[in-house]
Amino acid sequence: CFCNLTEAVGVMGDEQLPQQQLPVPEAFCCPITKDIFQDPVSTCDGHTYERSAIEVWLRRHRTSPMTGAPLRSRELTPNFGLRSAIQAFLEVRPEVASAPIADADLEYAIQVREEEMEFKVSEQDQTIRRLQAHIEALQLQIRHLGSEPVPAPRGVAPAAAAEGAADAAASTAASAPAEGSSSQPVASPAERAAEAAEARAKAAAARAGGGGAAAAAAAVGGADPAERGPEPAGRGGGGYGGAWARFG
């Protein structure tokens, strides 16, 4: 409430200012004319102006004189609370009341405000362009960092390093057990054939009795006849030859 303006703005330190020295609050002045409001009205974005000044502005622009942002509507709403506060203030300091502004002064005030807004918008555009250039530089740097190859170990050529990595990956895949298989090693076909031959040799030795060694050799049957040498003569004229004939 501005009913007691002395309490609102009339205190400096521990002493009260005389009412005749009360400063004019900035909110009591139009941002376009810089004079104390006579008929304050508000636009749809909430800012308040002198009616005559904002009406001239809106005939030329669809933007806010304060922010430069587009206005959704040109509708003006009287600011009765601000008008009442100004009237109370002028009862204390009537000498600061503004006279009705002349058309020439109003035109000059509008022109100054337009220049101020152009400068403000220009600064904003420059700031936006600098930010966009900075963002583009960061994006380029990110793409460059993401596309750089991983350097080869020291002393190793890049091609050799790549080939070694491929061989290591293939070796790891070959040594890994198949999915669902046990961890026990699988015997090769040669190992399985040797185990079967050994089993046949043992069975032949058991059946041949005293001729176990010859029977075992016959059961294995893997040696070449040229490598075995001449066959010794045995009982019955057959010797080991009979054993080879029986178990070969």
Side-chain angles (χ1 to χ4, degrees), residues 22 31-32 36 44 52 61 79 112 136 152 157 186 197 204 211 227 236:
L22 292 177
I32 297 178
I36 295 178
C44 61
S52 59
H61 309 280
N79 194 329
V112 170
E136 292 175 358
V186 179
E227 297 177 356

Side-chain angles (χ1 to χ4, degrees), residues 15-38:
E15 299 181 358
Q16 275 191 344
L17 287 175
Q19 292 184 351
Q20 290 76 15
Q21 298 181 9
L22 292 177
V24 178
E26 184 179 357
F28 288 0
C29 298
C30 173
I32 297 178
T33 64
K34 311 299 181 184
D35 292 333
I36 295 178
F37 285 113
Q38 297 180 12

Side-chain angles (χ1 to χ4, degrees), residues 196-206 212 215-217 219-220:
E198 184 179 356
R200 290 198 301 270
K202 290 180 180 179
V220 172

